[in-house]
Amino acid sequence: MNINGFSDKGLVRNSNQDAFLLCVEDNYSWAVVCDGMGGANSGDVASRLAVDHFSAALKAGLRPNMSEHSIKNLLTSAVASANIRVFDKSKESSEFQGMGTTIVAILVIGSTAYFIHAGDSRAYVLSNGNFEQITRDHSIVQSMIENGKLTVEEARFHPRKNVITRALGVDEVIEPEFNVYDLNDGDTVLLCTDGLTNFVDSEAIVKILKSSEVNKAEALVNEANKNGGGDNITAVVLENK
């Protein structure tokens, strides 16, 4: 498993409120990406807290030969740990009031990928030429799409496209979504924040993922900046080789 990641504040924002972390071990690999929200510096505090506490809980709970049920419980607990830490921090002072963060994470054991997410940061898999979104956005426009009130194309330009319905740190309890995917040799996984998908279309993303770029995550971020860079941008690319 080859993993690379890259993050940039983009061309418009004053700071980068995204955060990510990668881990490659002999028996497993994992990655987590968060997109913070909140005024002043609270968004980057939220995303970094979430990444750190999720990672610590995941590492502490991993053990050999875990069942799918145990892995789901571990990932869910790790998200809950990150959520309560961000929630508690948001109550410490007015500076942090209202802060929160999305989260999307992957744990790969053998040929199986386990995903967990809350918010609109996404996971995709490129397999045999098919580029599939694994996660479902927890957002106002996604609900409207599912209810038949918007098309996918209309949602891209909807004025409320950035309004999410789940985020870490907003409430004491979070309900993340869990997915499982069986990877094939040669599959590529992408985790990213909406700063990438809002500025780079799927065709261009696939072209970069199929390219010979050494750091495909950095190439994706550079492409988003080339197209305007209107938000923080983070990409993590995992290649199953």
Side-chain angles (χ1 to χ4, degrees):
M1 178 69 67
N2 294 335
I3 306 180
N4 58 74
F6 198 78
S7 187
D8 189 74
K9 70 182 181 65
L11 304 180
V12 174
R13 307 290 188 184
N14 293 323
S15 63
N16 191 353
Q17 298 192 343
D18 289 356
F20 75 95
L21 195 62
L22 315 175
C23 178
V24 180
E25 299 288 351
D26 290 339
N27 300 317
Y28 60 84
S29 303
W30 56 264
V32 55
V33 171
C34 291
D35 181 354
M37 59 189 187
N41 295 322
S42 59
D44 60 340
V45 171
S47 62
R48 178 46 57 190
L49 279 174
V51 162
D52 290 346
H53 282 266
F54 173 88
S55 301
L58 180 59
K59 286 190 286 187
L62 274 172
R63 62 185 189 276
N65 303 316
M66 294 179 73
S67 67
E68 181 179 312
H69 179 72
S70 295
I71 290 170
K72 180 180 180 180
N73 285 342
L74 173 59
L75 289 171
T76 301
S77 296
V79 170
S81 173
N83 177 69
I84 199 66
R85 185 66 190 95
V86 177
F87 180 81
D88 287 347
K89 187 71 174 180
S90 73
K91 304 300 180 185
E92 287 184 5
S93 71
S94 58
E95 177 186 2
F96 302 126
Q97 186 175 1
M99 75 178 184
T101 181
T102 68
I103 189 167
V104 60
I106 181 175
L107 170 64
V108 181
I109 301 176
S111 61
T112 306
Y114 304 93
F115 297 92
I116 194 120
H117 82 287
D120 64 354
S121 294
R122 295 176 178 176
Y124 295 86
V125 174
L126 175 63
S127 180
N128 295 318
N130 180 46
F131 188 56
E132 178 184 358
Q133 183 176 332
I134 304 301
T135 55
R136 179 179 65 90
D137 291 354
H138 300 139
S139 66
I140 292 292
V141 295
Q142 182 61 36
S143 296
M144 294 173 73
I145 291 170
E146 292 170 2
N147 292 331
K149 296 179 180 179
L150 277 182
T151 66
V152 173
E153 186 62 24
E154 288 170 341
R156 290 184 61 204
F157 304 100
H158 195 277
R160 301 185 71 191
K161 70 177 182 178
N162 294 323
V163 180
I164 58 176
T165 54
R166 295 186 211 180
L168 273 65
V170 176
D171 297 303
E172 285 188 274
V173 178
I174 184 74
E175 294 185 19
E177 195 166 336
F178 176 76
N179 300 88
V180 182
Y181 190 98
D182 292 324
L183 296 171
N184 299 309
D185 289 343
D187 285 357
T188 300
V189 180
L190 168 66
L191 306 184
C192 62
T193 59
D194 63 351
L196 177 68
T197 50
N198 285 340
F199 290 89
V200 185
D201 62 28
S202 294
E203 184 178 345
I205 289 174
V206 169
K207 183 177 180 180
I208 291 172
L209 294 180
K210 288 182 174 180
S211 73
S212 59
E213 292 280 356
V214 174
N215 190 329
K216 294 176 182 178
E218 183 175 3
L220 288 166
V221 171
N222 289 341
E223 185 70 14
N225 276 328
K226 189 174 77 174
N227 294 337
D231 198 357
N232 302 152
I233 317 149
T234 299
V236 170
V237 177
L238 303 90
E239 296 175 285
N240 190 36
K241 294 185 175 180

